[in-house]
Amino acid sequence: MEPNTTPRFAFGPRNYRLMFIGLAVLAAGFITMTLDSEDYGEGFLGITLGPILLAIGFLIEFWAIMTRPGTSAPVARDTTTTSTVPSQPTPAAPVAPVATPQAPTYKR
């Protein structure tokens, strides 16, 4: 059986958009923690808002990886490509059931 040779990406455009949004939220969380004016980052920005943004960013990244792409990748439909690279393999002919093997007879 010939494997499907049509190239497809693991993620769709929606997944990549969510990944970039998640990276931006993560960056905003780290920057927010560094902007805290209290000693050792013990103010509202460093202890509360920054970690909340980080948790939200990681949740967005997880969602971007786990969600299925909204649309499937485009497949070529021209006659040259479909004749040389089949998008789906042809089903094999049905195989007749094999008879149970009999015990061999040995000559002594």
Side-chain angles (χ1 to χ4, degrees):
M1 184 176 197
E2 188 176 308
N4 188 356
T5 56
T6 305
R8 295 188 187 271
F9 292 107
F11 298 121
R14 177 181 174 202
N15 299 86
Y16 287 115
R17 264 187 253 119
L18 284 171
M19 283 184 198
F20 289 129
I21 290 170
L23 285 175
V25 172
L26 284 172
F30 282 114
I31 291 170
T32 302
M33 287 195 301
T34 62
L35 292 177
D36 197 5
S37 61
E38 295 289 326
D39 291 337
Y40 305 109
E42 293 179 350
F44 173 75
L45 294 177
I47 286 187
T48 306
L49 186 61
I52 289 173
L53 286 174
L54 289 177
I56 291 171
F58 280 118
L59 286 174
I60 292 172
E61 289 293 325
F62 179 76
W63 182 258
I65 292 170
M66 296 305 288
T67 188
R68 290 182 184 256
T71 59
S72 62
V75 178
R77 300 285 181 210
D78 60 334
T79 57
T80 306
T81 305
T82 56
S83 64
T84 57
V85 180
S87 61
Q88 295 201 3
T90 57
V95 179
V98 179
T100 58
Q102 296 176 353
T105 55
Y106 296 104
K107 293 182 182 177
R108 290 192 175 205

